[in-house]
Amino acid sequence: MRILGVDPGLNRTGYGVIETDRPEMIRLLEAGVIRTSPEDGISRRVSDIYTHLSDVIEEFRPNVLVLEKLYSHYKHPTTSILMGHARGVVCLAAGMGGVRLESYAATRIKKAVTGNGRAGKHQVQRMVKSMLGLNKAPEPFDVSDALAIAVSYVYIEGVKGEKVKRLKG
Amino acid sequence: MRILGVDPGLNRTGYGVIETDRPEMIRLLEAGVIRTSPEDGISRRVSDIYTHLSDVIEEFRPNVLVLEKLYSHYKHPTTSILMGHARGVVCLAAGMGGVRLESYAATRIKKAVTGNGRAGKHQVQRMVKSMLGLNKAPEPFDVSDALAIAVSYVYIEGVKGEKVKRLKG
C-alpha cells in the first residue's frame, strides 16, 4: 500500500510518499517541500499548495493521506489560522482526490517512530532515515516530519490489517 | 460590478453576491449559507464548502471576493485553526476561479456599513436590509455578515474607481 504523509504550513508544506507491504520493507517513493512566498497573496499561496499536492496524489494514488491531529503549537492565534489555511487545502486535496484521510496526535506519531512521544526533530529525522534505508537524512524537517507521519501509519495501523511491532532503532 | 462577500466557518459559511454601479443602487443577486455537519469528516466538509462556493463563482462571475482580514475571535486555538480550514478553501476557490481577493478589518467593514466600527450583528443586519432594499432582514447572521462584507467594498473602494459617501442609515 501507498501512504502519503503531509506536514502542512503556509510557508512550507512537507510531504512524503512511501510504499510498503510489510514494516521491514518501507520504500520511499517521493518526498519534497512545497514552498510559497509571503509576497504572493493568500489565494495564490493556497492554490500552489493545493495544485502541487493534487499532482502528487494523482501521480502516486496513495491509499491514505495522513496528518497530525489538530493541535496548535503557536501562541499567536493568527499563526494558527494561517496554518489552518494550509491544512484546509490539504484536506480538500484528499477529499477531491478520493483519498482517505487519517490523523494521529503528534505524540503518538513520535512514539510510533522513535519509541518516545516527546522525541526531538533530529531524533525523528534519524529514525526516518534508518527506517527508509536512506543514505542521507531527509531534509528539511518539514520533509522528515511528513515522512515520520507516513511511517507512523504503518506501525499504528499495520499493513494488510495487521498491527506490527516497532523495529528497534 | 459584482461583489461576493464571504464569512467563512467550518459549520456555516455565509456568502452573498451583490451587483452595483452606484452606491444608491445595490442589488442582491444571491445569498445563502453553506452548512456542513460535524459528523462528516473534515475532508468532506471542506470539499462541500469549496464545491458550493466554486459553483457560486462560476454562476455569478464576481469581480472580487471580499473577506474579513485575518483575526481570531476565538480563545481556543483549535477553533482558530478550524476556521482557518474554511477560510483557506474560500481563498482557494477565489484563486482557482480567477477572482481577485480583498480583505478588510472587521471594524472597518462595520464602520463602512453602519458608521460604527463596533456595531452589533443586529445593527449590521438592519443596515444591510435597508441598503439592499430588502423586505426582510437577511438571516442568519452568517448571511447578513457576508452581505455587509460585500457592501462595505462599495463604500471603501467606490465603484468605477471613485470613493463614495456612506448613505445615511
Side-chain angles (χ1 to χ4, degrees):
Chain A
M1 78 178 296
R2 287 181 174 184
I3 304 159
L4 167 58
V6 183
D7 184 19
L10 196 55
N11 292 322
R12 294 183 310 278
T13 289
Y15 68 92
V17 189
I18 60 171
E19 187 170 55
T20 184
D21 52 10
R22 54 186 201 277
E24 317 86 78
M25 186 60 204
I26 305 177
R27 198 161 64 95
L28 172 65
L29 296 187
E30 161 142 334
V33 192
I34 308 163
R35 290 174 199 272
T36 74
S37 165
E39 284 167 30
D40 286 325
I42 183 80
S43 59
R44 167 69 186 275
R45 298 176 79 185
V46 292
S47 297
D48 286 352
I49 297 169
Y50 179 76
T51 306
H52 192 127
L53 202 67
S54 295
D55 287 349
V56 171
I57 288 173
E58 196 179 334
E59 183 174 351
F60 294 98
R61 301 300 323 156
N63 301 80
V64 62
L65 188 158
V66 192
L67 291 170
E68 274 187 17
K69 261 202 202 309
L70 269 187
Y71 174 76
S72 178
H73 305 280
Y74 311 106
K75 283 190 185 151
H76 202 295
T78 305
T79 323
S80 299
I81 304 181
L82 283 173
M83 190 276 276
H85 281 58
R87 196 178 189 277
V89 301
V90 169
C91 294
L92 182 68
M96 302 300 272
V99 180
R100 184 166 60 87
L101 196 71
E102 189 61 80
S103 65
Y104 308 118
T107 48
R108 197 170 176 205
I109 291 166
K110 287 179 193 168
K111 188 163 168 76
V113 173
T114 69
N116 171 11
R118 302 170 66 93
K121 287 186 180 288
H122 282 286
Q123 194 182 344
V124 168
Q125 192 178 43
R126 279 194 302 271
M127 281 304 299
V128 166
K129 171 176 181 285
S130 151
M131 283 166 155
L132 297 176
L134 305 175
N135 295 323
K136 203 171 153 287
E139 283 179 318
F141 286 137
D142 311 270
V143 174
S144 52
D145 284 351
L147 285 168
I149 292 166
V151 167
S152 76
Y153 180 90
V154 183
Y155 289 90
I156 293 169
E157 304 292 337
V159 279
K160 298 180 183 170
E162 260 182 87
K163 293 243 177 188
V164 293
K165 283 185 211 160
R166 195 173 62 80
L167 288 171
K168 293 286 191 310
Chain B
M1 76 178 297
R2 288 182 172 184
I3 304 159
L4 168 57
V6 184
D7 184 20
L10 196 55
N11 293 320
R12 294 184 310 279
T13 289
Y15 68 91
V17 190
I18 60 172
E19 188 170 55
T20 185
D21 52 11
R22 56 186 200 276
E24 317 85 78
M25 185 63 207
I26 306 178
R27 199 160 64 96
L28 172 65
L29 295 187
E30 162 143 332
V33 191
I34 307 164
R35 292 174 197 272
T36 76
S37 166
E39 286 167 29
D40 286 324
I42 182 82
S43 59
R44 167 70 187 276
R45 298 176 79 185
V46 292
S47 297
D48 286 351
I49 297 169
Y50 178 76
T51 305
H52 193 128
L53 201 67
S54 295
D55 287 347
V56 171
I57 288 172
E58 197 178 332
E59 185 175 349
F60 293 97
R61 302 300 322 155
N63 301 81
V64 61
L65 189 158
V66 192
L67 291 170
E68 272 187 19
K69 261 206 202 308
L70 269 186
Y71 174 76
S72 178
H73 306 278
Y74 310 108
K75 284 191 181 148
H76 201 296
T78 305
T79 321
S80 299
I81 304 180
L82 283 173
M83 190 277 275
H85 281 58
R87 196 178 189 278
V89 300
V90 169
C91 295
L92 181 68
M96 302 300 270
V99 181
R100 184 167 60 87
L101 197 70
E102 190 59 79
S103 65
Y104 308 117
T107 47
R108 196 170 175 206
I109 291 167
K110 287 179 195 168
K111 189 164 165 72
V113 173
T114 70
N116 172 10
R118 302 170 69 92
K121 286 186 181 290
H122 282 288
Q123 194 182 344
V124 168
Q125 195 178 41
R126 278 195 302 271
M127 280 305 298
V128 165
K129 172 177 179 284
S130 150
M131 283 166 154
L132 297 176
L134 306 175
N135 295 322
K136 204 172 152 286
E139 284 180 316
F141 286 137
D142 311 271
V143 174
S144 52
D145 284 351
L147 285 169
I149 292 167
V151 167
S152 76
Y153 181 90
V154 182
Y155 290 91
I156 293 170
E157 303 293 337
V159 281
K160 298 180 182 168
E162 261 182 85
K163 292 243 177 187
V164 291
K165 283 186 209 159
R166 193 173 62 79
L167 288 171
K168 292 285 188 314

